[in-house]
C-alpha cells in the first residue's frame, strides 16, 4: 500500500519525538544517578562523622578504641542507613563491624579481617576517601564507600572507620522506580505528540493533494481548476502560483486554439482560390483568353502563402529563442529611407506627404535585417491606412542609451479596443479587413517580438479619425554616445 505524505510526516515526527524522549530520559537518569550517588556519599559521611563524635571521648581518654562501649551506637547507625560500619586499628585490622539489617558483613567484605594496604596509603595521604567500586578488592561487590582516618584531638591516628553500602541493593530499586515514572510520563506525551503531528501533517498534505489533483486536470487539458489560498506561507505561495499557472495555461490554450483557427482560415482562403483557378483552367471553364490573368492571381496567392509561411517560421524561431541576432552599428535613417522608397509608387498614387526625414544620422546597435523587417511592417501599415493626400511623419531621436523611431500616419486611427488588441497574433479589426485584404494580422506581432528580442519596446497611441503613431525603441550604437538627435515635437498634432 502506498504511504501517504501525511503518514510519512507523522511517522518521522513521532520517531524524532520518541528518540528525543529516550535521550532526555537517559540524560535525566544520568543526573539522577549522580544525585543518588552524591546523596549516598553524603549519608555515609554524615553517619561516619556522627560515629566519630560519639566515640571521640573514649578515643581521647584511652588512646584506643573500646568496642564494647561503642557497639550499641554503631549498630544503631548501621541499621538506620542500611549500611556496614567497620572499625580498624592503625594496622588496618578489623576490630569491630556493624551490619545494617539486610547486609551481611561476611558476604560484603572479601578478605574479612583487614583493610588493603593501598587503601591505607590513600587514607594516610588524604585522611578520607570516596569509592564506588570494590575498595581495591576489600568488598566482594561494588559499594558506595566512605572511609576516614580516626585521630585523637592531638592529631594522633589510632585507626580507620569505613562505611559501605552495596550499590545494587539501593540503586537498582531506585532506578527501576525512576524508569517506570519516566515511561508513565512519556507514553501520554508520545500519544499526544502523534495526534498533533498527524493533524499538522494532514494540514500540510491536504493542499498538496489539491495541487496534485489540479496538476492532473491541467495535464488532461482542463485548466479551470483553482486552489484556495488562505495563507502567506510556502503552501500559500504554491497555491497562488498554481492558480496563476492555470490562468496562464488557459490563456495560452485559448491563444493556441485561436492561432490554429486563424492559420487554418488564412491558409484555406488562398488555397481555395488557387484550387478553383487551376481547376477552371484544366477543365476549360476559364477561357484561353483569360488564363494568363487567372494564372497571375494564382501567382499572387502563392506569394501570399509564401509570406505567411515565412512569417510563421520567423515567429517560431523568435518564440523558441532560436533567432540569432547579427548585431551591427548602422544608421537607422538610411534603413527608413530604403523602406520608404520601396513604397514610392503607392505613396505617389495616394499623394501621401512624407515628413521628418531631414535630420542628422542616428546610429543603432541591432540586427539590420530584422530591423528592416520591423520598419517595413510599420511603414507598410502606415501606407495602407493613410488617407488620400494624407501624411506619414517620422520622428527619429536619441535619448540616453536608446534610439526612438516614431512612425505616424493620418487617417482613421484606432479605437480603444483596437489599441488593446493590435499586437495580438492574427488580429485584424473589421475596418482594417476592408482596407488590408492581403495581410494576415501578424505584422505588428512580429514587430513587437523582434524589438523585444533587442531589449526594446513598441508603443502605440492614436486619436480616432486623426492619426495613429507607433514608436519603437532600440539600443543606441556605442560609438555615438556623444551624439544627441533632436527630439521633434509630436507630429500631426
Amino acid at each position: 500500500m502506498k504511504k501517504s505524505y501525511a503518514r510519512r510526516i507523522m511517522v518521522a515526527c513521532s520517531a524524532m519525538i520518541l528518540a528525543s524522549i529516550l535521550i532526555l530520559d537517559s540524560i535525566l537518569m544520568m543526573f539522577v544517578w549522580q544525585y543518588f550517588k552524591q546523596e549516598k556519599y553524603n549519608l555515609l559521611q554524615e553517619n561516619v562523622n556522627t560515629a566519630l563524635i560519639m566515640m571521640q571521648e573514649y578515643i581521647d581518654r584511652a588512646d584506643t578504641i573500646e568496642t564494647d562501649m561503642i557497639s550499641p551506637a554503631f549498630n544503631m547507625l548501621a541499621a538506620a542507613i542500611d549500611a556496614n560500619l567497620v572499625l580498624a586499628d592503625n594496622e588496618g585490622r578489623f576490630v569491630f563491624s556493624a551490619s545494617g539489617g539486610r547486609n551481611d558483613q561476611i558476604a560484603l567484605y572479601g578478605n574479612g579481617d583487614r583493610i588493603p594496604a593501598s587503601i591505607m596509603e590513600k587514607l594516610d595521604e588524604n585522611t578520607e576517601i570516596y569509592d564506588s567500586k570494590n575498595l581495591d578488592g576489600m568488598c566482594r561487590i561494588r559499594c558506595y564507600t566512605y572511609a576516614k582516618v580516626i585521630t585523637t584531638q592531638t592529631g594522633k591516628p589510632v585507626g580507620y572507620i569505613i562505611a559501605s553500602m552495596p550499590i545494587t541493593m539501593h540503586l537498582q530499586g531506585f532506578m527501576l522506580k525512576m524508569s517506570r515514572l519516566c515511561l508513565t510520563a512519556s507514553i501520554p506525551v508520545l500519544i499526544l505528540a502523534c495526534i498533533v503531528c498527524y493533524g499538522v501533517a494532514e494540514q500540510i498534505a491536504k493542499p498538496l493533494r489539491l495541487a496534485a489533483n489540479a496538476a492532473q486536470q491541467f495535464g488532461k487539458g482542463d485548466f479551470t481548476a483553482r486552489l484556495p489560498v488562505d495563507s502567506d506561507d510556502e503552501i500559500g505561495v504554491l497555491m497562488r502560483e498554481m492558480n496563476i499557472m492555470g490562468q496562464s495555461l488557459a490563456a495560452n490554450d485559448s491563444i493556441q486554439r485561436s492561432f490554429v483557427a486563424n492559420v487554418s482560415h488564412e491558409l484555406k482562403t488562398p488555397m481555395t482560390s488557387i484550387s478553383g483557378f487551376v481547376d477552371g483552367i484544366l477543365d476549360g471553364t476559364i477561357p484561353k483568353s483569360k488564363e494568363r490573368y487567372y494564372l497571375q492571381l494564382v501567382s499572387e496567392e502563392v506569394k501570399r502563402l509564401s509570406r505567411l509561411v515565412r512569417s510563421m517560421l520567423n515567429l517560431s524561431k523568435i518564440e523558441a529563442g532560436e533567432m540569432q541576432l547579427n548585431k551591427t552599428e548602422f544608421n537607422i535613417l538610411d534603413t527608413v529611407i530604403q523602406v520608404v522608397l520601396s513604397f514610392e509608387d503607392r505613396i505617389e498614387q495616394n499623394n501621401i506627404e512624407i515628413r521628418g526625414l531631414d535630420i542628422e544620422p542616428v546610429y543603432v546597435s541591432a540586427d539590420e535585417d530584422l530591423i528592416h523587417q520591423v520598419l517595413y511592417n510599420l511603414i507598410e501599415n502606415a501606407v495602407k491606412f493613410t488617407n488620400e493626400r494624407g501624411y506619414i511623419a517620422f520622428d527619429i531621436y536619441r535619448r540616453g542609451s536608446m534610439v526612438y523611431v516614431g512612425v505616424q500616419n493620418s487617417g482613421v486611427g484606432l479605437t480603444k479596443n483596437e489599441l488593446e488588441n493590435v499586437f495580438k497574433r492574427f488580429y485584424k479589426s473589421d475596418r482594417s479587413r476592408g482596407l488590408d485584404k492581403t495581410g494576415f494580422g501578424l505584422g505588428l506581432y512580429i514587430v513587437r517580438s523582434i524589438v523585444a528580442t533587442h531589449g526594446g519596446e513598441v508603443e502605440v497611441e492614436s486619436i480616432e479619425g486623426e492619426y495613429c503613431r507607433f514608436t519603437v525603441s532600440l539600443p543606441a550604437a556605442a560609438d555615438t554616445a556623444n551624439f544627441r538627435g533632436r527630439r521633434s515635437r509630436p507630429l500631426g498634432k
Side-chain angles (χ1 to χ4, degrees), residues 135-307:
L135 208 62
D136 288 356
M138 179 177 167
C139 301
R140 293 180 182 276
I141 59 176
R142 293 185 62 182
C143 298
Y144 292 128
T145 301
Y146 176 73
K148 189 172 184 178
V149 178
I150 303 173
T151 62
T152 63
Q153 289 185 350
T154 60
K156 178 183 176 180
V158 295
Y160 305 92
I161 183 170
I162 300 173
S164 298
M165 181 184 295
I167 292 178
T168 55
M169 181 176 296
H170 297 83
L171 183 61
Q172 285 181 351
F174 179 76
M175 297 302 285
L176 182 61
K177 291 179 181 178
M178 288 298 300
S179 298
R180 289 175 179 172
L181 179 63
C182 290
L183 182 62
T184 304
S186 299
I187 289 176
V189 171
L190 182 61
I191 294 174
L192 179 62
C194 289
I195 295 173
V196 173
C197 287
Y198 186 79
V200 173
E202 276 294 319
Q203 188 176 4
I204 295 174
K206 182 178 179 180
L208 294 180
R209 285 195 292 268
L210 293 176
N213 292 334
Q216 290 178 352
Q217 288 182 266
F218 293 165
K220 295 176 181 178
D222 181 6
F223 306 116
T224 59
R226 295 295 180 267
L227 302 172
V229 181
D230 50 11
S231 67
D232 292 327
D233 56 12
E234 289 82 353
I235 298 296
V237 172
L238 175 63
M239 300 294 102
R240 191 178 299 109
E241 293 300 322
M242 286 287 291
N243 289 338
I244 293 174
M245 182 177 70
Q247 293 172 358
S248 177
L249 289 173
N252 288 337
D253 182 65
S254 176
I255 292 173
Q256 183 179 5
R257 293 177 185 275
S258 175
F259 176 78
V260 172
N262 287 325
V263 169
S264 300
H265 173 75
E266 295 294 342
L267 289 174
K268 180 181 179 181
T269 301
M271 290 176 68
T272 301
S273 300
I274 292 171
S275 176
F277 295 151
V278 171
D279 289 342
I281 292 173
L282 291 176
D283 62 17
T285 303
I286 296 176
K288 292 287 185 180
S289 60
K290 292 188 177 181
E291 283 184 0
R292 183 177 180 83
Y293 170 76
Y294 284 102
L295 287 174
Q296 186 174 356
L297 293 179
V298 169
S299 176
E300 290 177 357
E301 292 295 331
V302 170
K303 290 177 182 178
R304 184 172 177 232
L305 282 176
S306 177
R307 289 197 307 273

Side-chain angles (χ1 to χ4, degrees), residues 447-477:
V447 166
R448 187 179 64 174
S449 300
I450 292 176
V451 172
T453 304
H454 283 79
E457 296 180 350
V458 182
E459 297 179 352
V460 59
E461 56 182 303
S462 177
I463 294 180
E464 192 173 358
E466 293 186 18
Y467 74 92
C468 180
R469 176 189 177 91
F470 289 89
T471 302
V472 173
S473 61
L474 297 169

Side-chain angles (χ1 to χ4, degrees), residues 357-408:
L357 297 182
D358 55 339
I359 61 172
E360 297 293 330
V362 181
Y363 291 86
V364 297
S365 176
D367 188 312
E368 189 169 1
D369 291 336
L370 292 178
I371 299 306
H372 185 280
Q373 184 176 357
V374 167
L375 294 173
Y376 186 92
N377 290 348
L378 291 177
I379 295 173
E380 182 184 31
N381 276 350
V383 172
K384 287 178 181 177
F385 299 111
T386 301
N387 57 309
E388 190 172 355
R389 299 184 180 280
Y391 69 87
I392 298 176
F394 297 91
D395 192 14
I396 305 172
Y397 60 95
R398 173 171 178 156
R399 180 186 296 168
S401 62
M402 303 297 288
V403 169
Y404 296 84
V405 180
V407 180
Q408 178 174 316

